[in-house]
Amino acid sequence: MVGIVIVSHSRELADSIVEFTKMMAPEALIRAAGGMDDGTLGTSYEKIYQAIEDVYSEDGVLVMMDMGSAVMTTEMVLEEMSDKKIEMIDCPIVEGAVAATVTASAGVDFEEVKQNALEAKTAAKF
């Protein structure tokens, strides 16, 4: 199953997105990497690395970030893990996470999970 990692400056935000997606896809492989180790706002290389390791399989991992240093720190982690199937994805973090986890839990392949998350950019809310 494709793994999903949510990277945010806020531990609470990342944890809440994971909690929200688990209501719709409880078996999804999703982890939060939010905030610093001391609970303050920021991004942690170690948290991102460990979250990816926790959900990694040959099916791959998609990483969704909120902004700024979350993107830069994730890029640094991915440089070290360049031998693995991991991609950062530019999508709305909540809507993309829901689309990705629901699709991934259905057992579809990496590209389809990625495409569903990307389509969240243009999905109408009403």
Side-chain angles (χ1 to χ4, degrees):
M1 180 184 308
V2 175
I4 312 295
V5 172
I6 305 300
V7 179
S8 173
H9 289 76
S10 166
R11 183 186 73 227
E12 292 83 3
L13 177 58
D15 288 346
S16 293
I17 293 169
V18 169
E19 179 184 11
F20 186 67
T21 62
K22 287 283 195 175
M23 289 190 311
M24 290 165 263
E27 62 283 346
L29 295 175
I30 182 168
R31 294 292 184 279
M36 301 302 289
D37 291 334
D38 64 2
T40 59
L41 294 176
T43 54
S44 165
Y45 181 98
E46 292 78 18
K47 282 187 172 190
I48 297 167
Y49 188 97
Q50 189 59 56
I52 292 170
E53 284 290 321
D54 288 350
V55 299
Y56 189 80
S57 74
E58 290 180 14
D59 294 328
V61 175
L62 290 173
V63 184
M64 300 171 195
M65 304 79 39
D66 56 11
M67 65 186 87
S69 67
V71 174
M72 292 183 294
T73 307
T74 300
E75 287 173 336
M76 289 189 295
V77 171
L78 268 53
E79 284 178 20
E80 185 174 326
M81 303 176 105
S82 62
D83 61 327
K84 295 186 176 188
K85 186 177 182 177
I86 307 165
E87 284 189 40
M88 296 167 55
I89 186 167
D90 182 13
C91 65
I93 197 165
V94 175
E95 294 90 336
V98 169
T101 55
V102 169
T103 307
S105 67
V108 301
D109 70 16
F110 185 86
E111 288 303 318
E112 189 172 344
V113 174
K114 178 179 166 182
Q115 188 59 39
N116 281 336
L118 287 171
E119 287 173 4
K121 277 186 171 185
T122 58
K125 295 187 188 229
F126 58 93

